[in-house]
Amino acid sequence: MSTKQVRLTQWVFYGALALLMVLILSGALAMIAPASIATRVAYNSEAYLFALILAAWIQFAIPRLRDRRLMMWALMHGALWALIGVSLIAGAMWINDFPSRLATLNEPAIALAILIPYVSLRRPLPRWTLAIVPLSVGVVVWAVGWAPDSWVIDQAETFGLVILAILTLDVFDRVLLERGAPVNRGIRLAWYGFMILEPILVSTIGTGVRSGEGAIALSLEFLGRIHESFVGVLLVALVLHLVRLRRRP
């Protein structure tokens, strides 16, 4: 692809996600598309919002801000998304008939509050910072096995987005944030293959197997709830690879 084609593809990416969010939040999508299609597209609204904001921050903000200014703005931006997320949760709890298409965005908002400062840290990161992944996975395993009614399950997509984003950006495809970082192409391909296949396989299994109280059913139900996390992180990786294509001589 030429530089001009890559640039055009990037703007189509951002424009399409922004347009989708406007159509979903305004309710216009249900008016202009068949009900079955509109429902399926709107189901991934959390992924669209997450990818739109995080990819734009990485592509446009990080290269233009440096050191203290970068972290200052990252923390401010993260705090803003934390406020948005908490406000959406409060609105769903306390306001009658609060639109579900707004309430559901609390999870990507809280994930952005965590990940915007995280991706703004100077690379390479100390390896101990990746401890957030096993700690988060441990919390999820505890919730699925012993506290299925806890807030962890309510915030399933937040955990999914944070865990998958960190694994993608700082384990399996480090070159997206750290230019020149070593990447094992076979392992990277296997990782993206897993991210693509997981939503397909869990959806194919169906909701019947995911109902019930057993550990397997609860685990599959959790994986089913975080489909948007896989979609959102894959979209971010896609546009960041386009950025890399554009920078190549």
Side-chain angles (χ1 to χ4, degrees):
M1 295 176 70
S2 67
T3 300
K4 185 177 293 185
Q5 290 173 321
V6 172
R7 185 180 291 113
L8 176 62
T9 304
Q10 286 178 308
W11 287 114
V12 168
F13 171 88
Y14 287 115
L17 291 184
L19 178 61
L20 274 175
M21 289 306 302
V22 170
L23 292 175
I24 292 169
L25 295 179
S26 66
L29 184 63
M31 302 177 186
I32 63 175
S36 59
I37 296 177
T39 300
R40 291 183 180 181
V41 172
Y43 182 79
N44 290 313
S45 60
E46 298 95 327
Y48 309 145
L49 176 66
F50 175 82
L52 178 64
I53 301 301
L54 189 64
W57 177 264
I58 294 172
Q59 182 179 356
F60 301 113
I62 291 179
R64 289 167 174 77
L65 299 170
R66 287 290 182 268
D67 300 328
R68 293 181 180 178
R69 289 183 63 229
L70 173 58
M71 283 311 302
M72 179 187 70
W73 282 102
L75 290 171
M76 291 173 59
H77 201 180
L80 173 62
W81 282 105
L83 178 62
I84 292 172
V86 171
S87 299
L88 291 173
I89 293 173
M93 291 176 61
W94 302 109
I95 299 177
N96 293 330
D97 300 323
F98 191 77
S100 60
R101 60 179 178 270
L102 286 177
T104 191
L105 298 179
N106 75 85
E107 291 163 292
I110 294 174
L112 288 168
I114 298 169
L115 288 171
I116 286 175
Y118 175 82
V119 299
S120 302
L121 295 171
R122 181 179 293 180
R123 263 63 183 176
L125 291 177
R127 303 315 294 172
W128 61 264
T129 57
L130 296 180
I132 189 174
V133 172
L135 288 174
S136 299
V137 171
V139 171
V140 169
V141 171
W142 165 79
V144 170
W146 291 276
D149 296 324
S150 68
W151 64 272
V152 175
I153 303 302
D154 292 336
Q155 290 295 316
E157 288 168 25
T158 300
F159 279 88
L161 288 167
V162 170
I163 293 170
L164 292 174
I166 292 175
L167 287 174
T168 299
L169 299 174
D170 278 316
V171 177
F172 297 107
D173 207 359
R174 289 171 53 197
V175 73
L176 294 177
L177 287 182
E178 184 183 342
R179 188 179 300 184
V183 173
N184 185 306
R185 295 186 178 181
I187 294 176
R188 177 172 64 182
L189 181 62
W191 172 247
Y192 285 127
F194 160 72
M195 291 188 67
I196 293 170
L197 290 175
E198 189 278 344
I200 297 173
L201 291 175
V202 175
S203 297
T204 302
I205 290 172
T207 56
V209 179
R210 288 152 45 187
S211 60
E213 300 297 329
I216 295 177
L218 291 173
S219 299
L220 289 173
E221 177 62 19
F222 184 88
L223 291 173
R225 292 187 61 170
I226 63 171
H227 281 185
E228 296 93 327
S229 303
F230 287 86
V231 175
V233 175
L234 281 170
L235 288 172
V236 171
L238 171 63
V239 75
L240 293 183
H241 274 290
L242 289 174
V243 172
R244 291 187 64 241
L245 281 176
R246 183 174 155 188
R247 288 175 178 168
R248 287 178 182 174

